[in-house]
């Protein structure tokens, strides 16, 4: 059940880092920080819980890690406006800022999001066109860099492929390395974060055009004072805690507003192309 999954993930993350977060009497109710499940939940918790502990300390807010079993389920939670804070892909932000009222406050610095297509190291494929008429692996229909961008660019080239959705970036890389699919989609950050043993079995044969990266946003019920407090604290952490940022695969943050993702909106992606889930029919967090 999603409720049990969220509970297990939260406490697994706390145990992995040796950090137990207690809400002090001065703090408000817990705020759940939803992280898009590009990787296994245990790996995400290990990376993000120390960052959230420091964020809690510096903001005075009781911030808790949360994620879901896969990206489509995470989309349902965004549709509900379930997370107080969320890290979501660029296309998710353009949809759920409109549908659910999420408001951006930052994105990763020194970064534009590009999709990758990887193949097995000894595979015969050398370019994108070589993959025409093949079955390919992607995390989910609406995974922006790892699925939407490469599929859109294949479509522009007149290619026909059969997408297979395997739930996470890690699953794409593992399935390609295992020979289950000839190629699959990912992004630079998650590809760089997989174990070296797996990474050396793969090679990148294509990189897409680049776009504004994932959004950090507050949920529809978060007041503006807290959004600005988070924005200021993210900037401070960029300057003072590079160690924590390195754990989540980032070098810094840039303060951002809604218009930063207009380049993504300009793609004009349709519901049919993205298959994004907007019904909100799932339990998303600890209440």
């Amino acid at each position: 059940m999603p409720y049990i999954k969220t509970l297990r993930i939260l406490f697994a993350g706390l145990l992995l880092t040796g950090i137990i977060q207690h809400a002090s009497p001065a703090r408000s109710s817990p705020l759940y920080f939803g992280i898009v499940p590009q990787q296994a939940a245990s790996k995400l918790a290990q990376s993000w819980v120390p960052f959230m502990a420091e964020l809690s300390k510096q903001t005075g807010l009781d911030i808790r890690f949360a994620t879901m079993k896969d990206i489509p389920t995470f989309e349902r939670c965004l549709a509900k406006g379930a997370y107080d804070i969320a890290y979501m892909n660029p296309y998710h932000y353009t949809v759920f800022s409109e549908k659910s009222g999420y408001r951006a406050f930052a994105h990763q610095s020194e970064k534009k999001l590009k999709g990758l297509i990887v193949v097995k190291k000894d595979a015969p494929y050398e370019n994108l066109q070589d993959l025409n008429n093949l079955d390919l692996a992607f995390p989910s229909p609406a995974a922006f860099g790892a699925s939407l961008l490469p599929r859109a660019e294949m479509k522009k080239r007149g290619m026909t492929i059969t997408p297979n959705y395997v739930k996470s970036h890690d699953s794409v890389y593992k399935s390609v390395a295992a020979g289950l699919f000839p190629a699959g989609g990912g992004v630079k950050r998650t590809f760089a974060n997989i174990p070296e043993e797996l990474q050396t079995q793969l090679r990148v044969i294509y990189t897409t055009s680049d776009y504004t990266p994932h959004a950090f946003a507050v949920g529809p019920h978060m007041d503006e004072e807290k959004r600005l407090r988070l924005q200021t604290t993210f900037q401070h952490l960029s300057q003072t805690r590079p160690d924590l940022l390195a754990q989540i695969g980032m070098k810094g943050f840039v303060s951002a507003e809604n218009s930063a993702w207009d380049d993504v909106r300009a793609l004009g992606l349709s519901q049919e192309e993205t298959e994004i889930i907007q019904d909100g029919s799932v339990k998303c967090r600890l209440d």
Side-chain angles (χ1 to χ4, degrees), residues 18-202:
I19 297 170
I20 303 296
Q21 296 179 9
H22 296 282
S24 69
R27 288 185 176 179
S28 57
S29 299
L31 300 177
Y32 292 96
F33 194 154
I35 303 298
V36 60
Q38 294 174 316
Q39 298 172 290
S42 58
K43 185 180 294 185
L44 289 175
Q46 191 170 15
S47 300
W48 284 91
V49 167
F51 174 80
M52 292 184 191
E54 184 64 21
L55 191 61
S56 295
K57 179 180 177 182
Q58 294 201 19
T59 60
L61 303 170
D62 185 14
I63 298 170
R64 310 285 184 91
F65 171 85
T67 192
M68 295 304 290
K69 64 179 181 178
D70 54 35
I71 293 172
T73 311
F74 184 72
E75 289 168 5
R76 287 190 169 96
C77 295
L78 293 176
K80 290 177 69 173
Y83 299 120
D84 303 291
I85 311 165
Y87 176 63
M88 66 187 85
N89 82 38
Y91 182 69
H92 283 153
Y93 180 70
T94 66
V95 172
F96 295 113
S97 59
E98 180 70 24
K99 177 179 175 60
S100 308
Y102 280 94
R103 307 187 316 281
F105 63 87
H107 65 67
Q108 185 178 351
S109 65
E110 302 178 31
K111 160 102 177 182
K112 285 283 190 176
L113 184 61
K114 299 179 181 180
L116 306 175
I117 293 292
V118 300
V119 300
K120 202 168 181 179
K121 191 169 185 178
D122 59 359
Y125 314 109
E126 297 296 334
N127 56 59
L128 201 61
Q129 201 67 37
D130 289 343
L131 304 177
N132 195 31
N133 297 316
L134 297 181
D135 286 16
L136 305 185
F138 300 99
S140 72
F144 184 70
S147 181
L148 284 176
L149 289 182
R151 288 191 293 120
E153 296 190 10
M154 289 175 190
K155 184 178 178 181
K156 285 182 181 178
R157 292 167 180 251
M159 293 174 59
T160 300
I161 58 99
T162 301
N164 295 266
Y165 301 114
V166 296
K167 297 187 177 182
S168 73
H169 291 223
D170 282 3
S171 293
V172 169
Y173 304 135
K174 290 175 182 176
S175 64
V176 173
L180 301 177
F181 297 98
V187 297
K188 183 178 180 181
R189 185 179 67 83
T190 59
F191 185 65
N193 286 343
I194 59 176
E196 185 177 359
E197 181 182 356
L198 176 57
Q199 193 178 117
T200 56
Q201 297 178 57
L202 303 168

Side-chain angles (χ1 to χ4, degrees), residues 126-282:
E126 297 296 334
N127 56 59
L128 201 61
Q129 201 67 37
D130 289 343
L131 304 177
N132 195 31
N133 297 316
L134 297 181
D135 286 16
L136 305 185
F138 300 99
S140 72
F144 184 70
S147 181
L148 284 176
L149 289 182
R151 288 191 293 120
E153 296 190 10
M154 289 175 190
K155 184 178 178 181
K156 285 182 181 178
R157 292 167 180 251
M159 293 174 59
T160 300
I161 58 99
T162 301
N164 295 266
Y165 301 114
V166 296
K167 297 187 177 182
S168 73
H169 291 223
D170 282 3
S171 293
V172 169
Y173 304 135
K174 290 175 182 176
S175 64
V176 173
L180 301 177
F181 297 98
V187 297
K188 183 178 180 181
R189 185 179 67 83
T190 59
F191 185 65
N193 286 343
I194 59 176
E196 185 177 359
E197 181 182 356
L198 176 57
Q199 193 178 117
T200 56
Q201 297 178 57
L202 303 168
R203 59 187 171 88
V204 176
I205 64 165
Y206 183 74
T207 303
T208 72
S209 300
D210 55 16
Y211 292 84
T212 304
H214 286 49
F216 290 95
V218 297
H221 305 299
M222 180 82 77
D223 63 58
E224 183 64 7
E225 185 277 328
K226 288 189 177 69
R227 188 186 80 90
L228 293 174
R229 197 190 314 179
L230 286 164
Q231 191 173 64
T232 300
T233 306
F234 266 57
Q235 290 299 303
H236 181 67
L237 290 172
S238 287
Q239 299 166 7
T240 61
R241 295 301 307 268
D243 56 321
L244 288 178
L245 270 63
Q247 285 191 42
I248 59 174
M250 301 183 191
K251 294 181 179 179
F253 304 113
V254 172
S255 294
E257 306 296 330
N258 187 57
S259 61
W261 287 269
D262 284 349
D263 59 339
V264 179
R265 294 182 177 96
L267 289 169
L269 296 167
S270 68
Q271 171 69 28
E272 182 181 10
E273 291 173 301
T274 65
E275 301 178 40
I276 197 165
I277 295 172
Q278 302 185 43
D279 64 12
S281 57
V282 68

